[in-house]
């Protein structure tokens, strides 16, 4: 029916328009359960590199919660609750142990540890990821520029090689022609010398030289 079709189109359109929570100009491709935020491919890679977020659960954006809000309960967000104090949310981050904790854990096992609220850590992490992405983008530009310089130099080397091969070929042809011409000159000169040496001998012998004494 038309109503169902319009509803499906609206949902798919909404999913297609989702943007990354840390990179507003980039389309979201995934959903981070712990951050309760849609993220792009770059942020997914950053999540996997950073010690503080590498254990976060990353899911396809289609499985993300609407309006970027995580529900208080449900199987998708059981990791947001403490495994020891099951009624307490993991609302704190113990910087000493580098892990999420609940209020009761922080007051007992992590009493003297340095900690922050997860919204503070999330903001810092987003800022860190944004900085890393900016650095990666900058280095990508530098790499692209360096690759262009390398390609230009390789093309220059190829062109120079062609030019040198052409010059060498022309030089070989020129030298070959010069040697051939000089060889012909030497042969002509040799013939002239040999012919000049034979003629005087023939004149000395002559017809009278063949007549013996009477």
């Amino acid at each position: 029916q038309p109503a169902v079709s319009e509803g499906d189109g609206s949902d798919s359109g909404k999913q297609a328009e989702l943007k990354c929570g840390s990179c507003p100009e980039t389309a979201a491709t995934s959903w981070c359960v712990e951050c309760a935020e849609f993220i792009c491919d770059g942020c997914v890679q950053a999540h996997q590199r950073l010690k503080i977020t590498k254990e976060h659960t990353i899911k396809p954006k289609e499985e993300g919660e609407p309006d970027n809000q995580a529900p208080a309960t449900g199987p998708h967000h059981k990791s947001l609750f403490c495994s020891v104090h099951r009624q307490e949310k993991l609302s704190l981050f113990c910087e000493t142990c580098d892990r999420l904790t609940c209020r009761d854990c922080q007051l007992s096992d992590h009493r003297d540890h340095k900690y922050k609220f997860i919204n503070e850590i999330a903001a810092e992490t987003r800022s860190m990821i944004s900085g890393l992405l900016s650095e990666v983008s900058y280095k990508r530009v530098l790499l692209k520029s360096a690759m262009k310089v390398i390609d230009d130099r390789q093309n220059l080397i190829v062109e120079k090689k062609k030019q040198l091969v052409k010059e060498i070929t022309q030089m070989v042809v020129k030298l070959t022609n010069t040697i051939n011409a000089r060889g012909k000159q030497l042969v002509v000169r040799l013939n002239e010398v040999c012919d000049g040496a034979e003629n005087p001998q023939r004149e000395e012998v002559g017809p009278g030289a063949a007549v013996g004494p009477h």
Side-chain angles (χ1 to χ4, degrees):
Q1 295 178 354
V4 174
S5 175
E6 290 177 2
D8 292 342
S10 176
D11 291 341
S12 60
K14 186 175 181 180
Q15 288 289 347
E17 295 172 358
L18 289 174
K19 297 295 183 180
C20 175
S22 299
C23 312
E25 71 282 358
T26 307
T29 58
S30 306
W31 166 263
C32 177
V33 175
E34 284 73 14
C35 296
E37 185 176 61
F38 289 103
I39 56 178
C40 63
D41 289 335
C43 288
V44 171
Q45 295 177 6
H47 262 57
Q48 294 170 347
R49 287 196 303 268
L50 293 174
K51 185 177 181 181
I52 192 175
T53 57
K54 65 181 180 181
E55 294 183 359
H56 283 195
T57 304
I58 306 298
K59 295 186 176 183
K61 68 177 182 179
E62 291 76 14
E63 298 183 23
E65 295 298 330
D67 301 326
N68 290 8
Q69 296 295 324
T73 59
H76 295 298
H77 295 274
K78 61 182 180 180
S79 59
L80 291 178
F81 288 85
C82 181
S83 59
V84 178
H85 311 96
R86 298 186 179 277
Q87 300 302 318
E88 292 291 333
K89 285 186 178 182
L90 296 173
S91 58
L92 303 172
F93 181 80
C94 179
E95 295 185 293
T96 303
C97 299
D98 193 27
R99 59 174 296 179
L100 293 172
T101 60
C102 71
R103 180 191 59 182
D104 291 347
C105 285
Q106 201 65 48
L107 292 174
S108 56
D109 297 338
H110 304 266
R111 177 182 296 274
D112 298 324
H113 293 183
K114 185 178 179 181
Y115 71 92
K116 288 184 179 180
F117 289 97
I118 57 173
N119 60 335
E120 296 175 338
I121 288 295
E124 292 177 3
T125 302
R126 278 194 291 268
S127 178
M128 184 185 304
I129 292 174
S130 179
L132 289 173
L133 290 175
S134 298
E135 184 178 352
V136 169
S137 298
Y138 175 69
K139 289 184 177 180
R140 183 182 298 173
V141 172
L142 292 181
L143 179 60
K144 186 176 180 180
S145 177
M147 291 298 295
K148 185 179 184 304
V149 171
I150 293 174
D151 289 340
D152 291 343
R153 289 185 178 179
Q154 287 180 337
N155 292 334
L156 181 61
I157 291 173
V158 171
E159 292 300 322
K160 191 65 176 178
K161 177 183 176 182
K162 291 180 180 179
Q163 181 181 351
L164 290 174
V165 169
K166 183 178 179 180
E167 291 178 358
I168 291 173
T169 302
Q170 292 175 345
M171 184 179 296
V172 170
V173 172
K174 184 177 180 180
L175 290 174
T176 301
N177 292 336
T178 301
I179 292 173
N180 289 336
R182 182 59 178 165
K184 291 179 181 179
Q185 292 176 357
L186 292 174
V187 170
V188 171
R189 180 60 180 162
L190 177 62
N191 290 334
E192 291 176 351
V193 171
C194 291
D195 291 344
E198 290 178 357
N199 289 335
Q201 292 179 0
R202 290 177 181 176
E203 291 177 357
E204 290 178 1
V205 173
V211 179
H214 296 286

